[in-house]
Amino acid sequence: MTDTATDAYSSFSVFDLEQTRTFYHEVLGLKVEDRNGMLTIHLPGGASTVAYASRNHQPARFTILNIVVPDLPSTVSDLARRGLEFERYEGTPAQTDSDGIYRANGPWFAWFTDPSGNVLALCERDLRTTDNN
């Protein structure tokens, strides 16, 4: 297959495309395009993902998208001022501090949900390229 594949992309379902467009574009500041009745969300670094409406949507309770930022506390503070609520995960190994940031063991993360309940994260390091030693 790898000899014949020309590209790859991820996708996820949502309840409402208009709410999704507003959230990803206006709240997160990402470029969003309508294509074939779906939304293409352009991600930092050049990749993209597709959101599509589904009447049977079930929110992903796992992280579907990690967005790397250079200064996590500043970004979390800015988004919180704009009304974004961060997950707390109290009483779990992923419990966050009062700012909504997980700062224990490893890279820092801050999780939140989109309007359809899908879990996203902000992180300060790209785990695909970071040596964990």
Side-chain angles (χ1 to χ4, degrees):
M1 177 187 84
T2 58
D3 293 340
T4 59
T6 60
D7 201 358
Y9 65 92
S10 65
S11 63
F12 58 93
S13 68
V14 298
F15 287 121
D16 181 276
L17 288 178
E18 187 58 39
Q19 284 182 335
T20 301
R21 179 187 303 102
T22 299
F23 179 78
Y24 283 86
H25 179 66
E26 294 182 16
V27 176
L28 299 182
L30 300 173
K31 181 180 174 191
V32 178
E33 290 182 86
D34 292 293
R35 289 190 180 166
N36 302 317
M38 298 177 276
L39 296 177
T40 298
I41 302 166
H42 297 277
L43 305 172
S48 63
T49 188
V50 173
Y52 60 93
S54 172
R55 289 184 303 214
N56 300 320
H57 171 72
Q58 294 292 316
R61 298 311 310 159
F62 51 88
T63 306
I64 64 165
L65 181 63
N66 293 287
I67 301 170
V68 180
V69 297
D71 182 348
L72 184 60
S74 175
T75 302
V76 166
S77 178
D78 177 56
L79 289 170
R81 275 193 302 276
R82 293 194 276 162
L84 189 62
E85 293 183 25
F86 289 87
E87 299 295 315
R88 298 291 181 192
Y89 300 126
E90 292 183 24
T92 73
Q95 182 169 327
T96 60
D97 62 19
S98 61
D99 295 327
I101 299 173
Y102 170 81
R103 299 177 199 250
N105 305 328
W108 293 356
F109 281 90
W111 294 276
F112 58 97
T113 60
D114 71 9
S116 294
N118 296 309
V119 178
L120 294 87
L122 297 174
C123 53
E124 205 163 72
R125 287 191 284 164
D126 186 341
L127 297 181
R128 298 170 302 170
T129 59
T130 303
D131 184 5
N132 290 328
N133 295 328

